[in-house]
Amino acid sequence: MQNTENILFTLAMIGYFAAMACSFLFVSVKKDGFAKAGEALQIVSLALHTGALVLRGLAAGRLPMTNQYEFATCFAWALCFVSLVFIRKYRFPVLSVFAMPIIFLIMGYAAMQSRDIKPLMPALQSGWLAFHVSTAIISYGAFGVSAALGAIFLLRGRIRENSFLDQHIPGEAKLDLIAYRSVCLGLLFLTLTILTGAIWAERAWGSYWSWDPKETWSLVTWIVYAVYLHLRLRRGWKGRAAAIFAVAGFVCVIFTYIGVNTLLPGIHSYA
Amino acid sequence: MKKIGKFLSSMGFAVALLVILAAACALSSLVEQGLTQETYAARYGEGIASVIMALQVNDAYHSVWFIVLSGFLCLNLILCNLIRFPAFVKRWRKEKDPEAVNTAGDLGDTETGSPEQVLSAMRMPDVKRCRTAEGREALFSNRNAIGQWGAWICHLGVLLLIAGFALGQMTLQETVIWGVPGDTRIMQETGLAITIDDFRTETREDASVAQYVTEITVTDPATGKSEQASVSVNHPAVAGGFHLYQNNTGPAASASVVRDGKEIQRKTLLPQQTMAESVLGLEDQPEYAFYFAGVRTMREEGQEERTLYLYDLYRSGVLQQGYYFLGEGSVTVGEDQITFTPRTFTLLVARKDRFAWLALLGGLITLAGLALAFYLQPKALWAVRQEDGKWILRGRCRKGKTLMKEQLEEAVRAAEKEEKQVAEH
Ligand code: HEM
């Protein structure tokens, strides 16, 4: 089973790479066909990726979301899923130019992690864990999409002359609004993540909040996006400033996800 | 006074506080908490260590400045929610008020011949017929008015969350119960006697640990009633309003002192703990004491790994001799024979947080507020009949007008197309 999983994972990774290439061709050669091909490749790769995750879940007898490898591949999965939703909902293929490289990088990070299926230590055997981690994944995926949208917003000024892109990138107001929508999705799920994490920590360690670095950084991330929401309500802070915030917020997300584990000690060091 | 109130309740102040709090949390997370000045000095140098101690960064989340900042945040939230409450009520009424047909809205004007169709395509419910101030025929519909309460509810939730957390921290009762099967401990806070009946480490086929389980009996000396309970990781038990959590385990030793064939003293020792827990003082020969120095593992060529138990004998505070045993072992001191038996201890943490429910409630309210604010955004759409029989569509959507305008234009085009098809027939 692990062999099939590995094959599916590799195929998905190749698919993501091809989708990324298509999206780059789409903006450089300016043929709509590449956008369509890229989207189709993205869907196929997502399906393969889903297959790999399902197989792993079956082999382990639990949700495959408990170590660095599993979390990274789920993160890439969520980013792909959320970006597909936004691409289709807002008819916005250029988003994949920014989303695909991030997805590909995270898959690369996942590929470097150990894929052994290890049994869980007692603290991790909890129904809340599955809930906690799956909400985290959706939230990270949504924040990733908002960061990609923020980046598009910031680069858009430079490429305004390009009529092809003008046609395919929504106006500033709409871009800002879509980024806001994905931050909303992310923040709602981050709140759920923190809540379910607190409930689980209470059951496992006896204390629902102990200022462990990962907890602290998820709070920092939460506050950064709360600030983003408030600033957007003020005149003059929509658009550019909000886009910068969306990108900066995602830096916090990545730090919470990877930096804390590698740089700071704490009870979350296993995940 | 009024100015101060306005500032304290302002969003600008809120943003400033939130930014400072986030920065403070981020910085403090980089400094390991709860170490001594000497340890910080060894890590970062004297200068930085004294700054850390002076600014209380060694215990940042309980420091005066952190509490003051959080206090201001609460004040800010209370004032903001109180002061803005009337405005929220007013806006809520206005959301549902068909008077809007006399206003310009914020989507611009769009012309259509079939307003009902467009309204239904836009999924606007309960369309009301009314007239403008000038007596023109008009249609009005709104939805998600409730959503405008999202921010207010979210702020209330955050406030309750902080209050629940702070009150919980202030009134927290916490104690530990440790021992080996057979030991009974009295929980000072409740007077309950906790007897450890059994402790086991459940393993899987590959020898990895599946679960740690402590079986206990809780006895209330006042009533004489006792109850059995099982505590394992992720499955706390409840006793006397306290939650008991399986927290730790490790090697321990039982010491039994026998004189003239009779046991006169018995104690469970933890390795290298504070004095009281790792020292056996002989009651009848008070100048002697044994210290449980812990365990070492050793492996000789071709043999399985074995565990050594180390004990040091002190006389009047001076180390006399060290002993090590592979399993059980005895030492004779004067007339006393002391037997040490290897055991495994279990440690339960007992906590009582009276306000955890408030923090949880706050969290759930925050979540509900966010869901309302994000996913039930108030929208209103109305149509006013012109003299030429055409209708002008106008609308309002504070947080998503660009998208709503797009949808509206699409709905108008679709309605036109349909109309044309009907006409061609
Ligand atoms: C600490 C003091 C705070 C103050 C004084 C404050 C103030 C405000 C104000 C005045 C609004 C505009 C309300 C409106 O007219 O719709 C607002 C909106 C909002 N606030 Fe706060 N806020 C604070 C903290 C927070 C925190 C910690 C959160 C947590 C996420 C939060 C979440 C929101 C949300 C979700 C909105 C609606 C924004 C939107 O829908 O885009 N606020 N806040």
Side-chain angles (χ1 to χ4, degrees), chain A residues 180 187 222 226 229-230 232-233, chain B residues 8-11 14 17-18 73 76-77 80 84 88 91 148 150-151 154-155 158 366 369-370 373-374 377 398-399:
Chain A
Y180 163 73
L187 190 63
W222 192 78
L229 284 184
H230 288 90
R232 268 189 93 266
L233 294 173
Chain B
L8 286 178
S9 71
S10 71
M11 197 158 86
L17 279 173
L18 289 171
L73 189 72
N76 188 208
L77 278 166
C80 158
R84 276 168 214 262
F88 269 82
R91 207 165 70 196
Q148 68 105 21
C154 172
H155 294 146
V158 173
T366 306
L370 288 176
F374 298 158
Q377 304 207 339
R398 252 186 345 130
K399 286 186 207 144

Side-chain angles (χ1 to χ4, degrees), chain B residues 118-392:
Chain B
V118 175
L119 282 168
S120 99
M122 293 288 287
R123 289 187 290 132
M124 301 302 291
D126 305 328
V127 179
K128 291 185 192 72
R129 293 187 173 276
C130 51
R131 286 197 180 267
T132 64
E134 294 153 10
R136 293 213 171 124
E137 224 181 307
L139 301 171
F140 174 84
S141 173
N142 79 297
R143 74 175 145 124
N144 296 350
I146 190 81
Q148 68 105 21
W149 285 98
W152 198 88
I153 291 171
C154 172
H155 294 146
L156 176 70
V158 173
L159 193 58
L160 294 179
L161 178 67
I162 298 177
F165 182 71
L167 288 171
Q169 293 272 303
M170 283 190 273
T171 58
L172 185 70
Q173 282 182 289
E174 190 175 47
T175 182
V176 295
I177 298 157
W178 62 271
V180 299
D183 286 347
T184 296
R185 310 276 173 196
I186 305 293
M187 241 170 97
Q188 303 296 345
E189 291 80 359
T190 56
L192 296 176
I194 313 268
T195 303
I196 298 170
D197 300 323
D198 186 27
F199 173 69
R200 55 181 193 274
T201 302
E202 295 172 356
T203 51
R204 305 191 187 86
E205 278 168 17
D206 64 352
S208 66
V209 175
Q211 189 53 279
Y212 301 103
V213 186
T214 306
E215 305 288 351
I216 55 171
T217 303
V218 182
T219 311
D220 186 347
T223 61
K225 265 193 198 149
S226 61
E227 230 176 290
Q228 289 186 322
S230 170
V231 187
S232 57
V233 180
N234 270 316
H235 303 279
V238 180
F242 277 71
H243 281 83
L244 306 180
Y245 303 91
Q246 179 67 51
N247 183 279
N248 207 348
T249 176
S254 278
S256 161
V257 184
V258 175
R259 176 180 284 189
D260 300 333
K262 251 176 45 192
E263 181 174 86
I264 54 171
Q265 205 183 329
R266 189 177 184 87
K267 188 173 179 186
T268 304
L269 302 177
L270 290 191
Q272 295 159 330
Q273 294 292 316
T274 55
M275 277 304 162
E277 289 161 4
S278 58
V279 172
L280 171 78
L282 298 184
E283 280 168 13
D284 286 1
Q285 305 184 71
E287 69 272 29
Y288 286 105
F290 279 96
Y291 172 68
F292 181 21
V295 297
R296 306 276 178 279
T297 51
M298 61 168 224
R299 167 175 268 157
E300 282 167 15
E301 282 286 328
Q303 290 196 353
E304 292 228 337
E305 194 175 79
R306 291 187 297 180
T307 306
L308 286 180
Y309 284 71
L310 279 57
Y311 308 89
D312 293 330
L313 173 64
Y314 285 83
R315 181 176 184 179
S316 306
V318 182
L319 181 64
Q320 294 279 300
Q321 194 174 350
Y323 298 90
Y324 54 88
F325 302 118
L326 271 171
E328 198 172 280
S330 289
V331 182
T332 307
V333 178
E335 291 170 40
D336 292 341
Q337 194 192 23
I338 301 104
T339 305
F340 296 101
T341 316
R343 305 293 294 270
T344 302
F345 77 85
T346 172
L347 187 142
L348 308 179
V349 170
R351 286 177 129 244
K352 184 170 183 173
D353 183 338
R354 288 183 187 77
F355 293 96
W357 66 271
L358 185 59
L360 179 61
L361 180 69
L364 292 175
I365 292 178
T366 306
L367 191 67
L370 288 176
L372 277 182
F374 298 158
Y375 292 100
L376 288 179
Q377 304 207 339
K379 283 179 185 165
L381 197 59
W382 58 91
V384 178
R385 193 186 164 104
Q386 305 303 110
E387 271 151 16
D388 60 2
K390 285 255 180 198
W391 294 71
I392 296 284

Side-chain angles (χ1 to χ4, degrees), chain A:
Chain A
M1 197 127 74
Q2 188 137 17
N3 235 341
T4 325
E5 180 209 328
N6 284 340
I7 293 169
L8 287 179
F9 180 88
T10 312
L11 284 177
M13 202 152 156
I14 295 169
Y16 286 142
F17 185 79
M20 179 168 75
C22 280
S23 66
F24 288 164
L25 283 171
F26 166 60
V27 287
S28 49
V29 183
K30 301 174 186 165
K31 287 254 159 60
D32 284 348
F34 285 116
K36 291 223 171 70
E39 195 179 315
L41 274 169
Q42 204 179 337
I43 293 172
V44 171
S45 315
L46 187 69
L48 293 169
H49 195 170
T50 312
L53 288 173
V54 169
L55 280 184
R56 189 176 181 86
L58 289 177
R62 55 176 162 76
L63 282 186
M65 300 178 182
T66 48
N67 59 25
Q68 278 291 36
Y69 165 72
E70 292 174 354
F71 193 81
T73 148
C74 287
F75 185 3
W77 184 92
L79 202 51
C80 185
F81 179 75
V82 177
S83 65
L84 258 180
V85 169
F86 274 75
I87 286 169
R88 292 182 76 95
K89 180 164 177 189
Y90 299 108
R91 279 176 234 124
F92 188 10
V94 178
L95 179 55
S96 63
V97 178
F98 290 80
M100 287 319 299
I102 306 181
I103 293 170
F104 189 68
L105 277 180
I106 299 175
M107 288 294 273
Y109 174 76
M112 289 186 301
Q113 307 294 318
S114 158
R115 290 188 206 180
D116 297 344
I117 295 181
K118 289 216 184 77
L120 291 181
M121 56 190 265
L124 294 186
Q125 297 163 27
S126 164
W128 289 104
L129 172 72
F131 203 12
H132 174 60
V133 184
S134 29
T135 50
I137 283 163
I138 301 282
S139 139
Y140 285 15
F143 286 141
V145 168
S146 70
L149 290 163
I152 294 176
F153 188 100
L154 294 174
L155 293 176
R156 191 177 186 280
R158 303 234 172 110
I159 46 182
R160 190 166 297 151
E161 262 71 278
N162 189 327
S163 66
F164 173 80
L165 284 182
D166 241 12
Q167 222 176 45
H168 283 90
I169 299 180
E172 295 206 339
K174 188 172 169 190
L175 254 182
D176 179 65
L177 194 59
I178 305 176
Y180 163 73
R181 287 278 164 95
S182 71
V183 167
C184 290
L185 181 68
L187 190 63
L188 190 73
F189 274 86
L190 181 60
T191 312
L192 255 177
T193 306
I194 296 178
L195 274 178
T196 51
I199 293 173
W200 169 42
E202 198 270 338
R203 310 219 92 207
W205 286 282
S207 165
Y208 62 85
W209 190 266
S210 27
W211 297 106
D212 151 89
K214 196 139 189 146
E215 289 171 0
T216 306
W217 270 92
S218 65
L219 178 66
V220 170
T221 308
W222 192 78
I223 296 179
V224 166
Y225 284 109
V227 169
Y228 166 95
L229 284 184
H230 288 90
L231 287 182
R232 268 189 93 266
L233 294 173
R234 319 199 93 189
R235 203 160 300 146
W237 279 85
K238 271 187 199 171
R240 204 178 152 69
I244 293 174
F245 241 91
V247 176
F250 193 59
V251 173
C252 278
V253 170
I254 293 292
F255 188 76
T256 310
Y257 167 47
I258 298 175
V260 172
N261 292 356
T262 41
L263 303 178
L264 306 173
I267 52 175
H268 264 94
S269 42
Y270 45 76

Side-chain angles (χ1 to χ4, degrees), chain B residues 38-49:
Chain B
E38 289 73 45
T39 323
Y40 289 123
R43 269 192 207 178
Y44 311 111
E46 288 292 343
I48 294 181

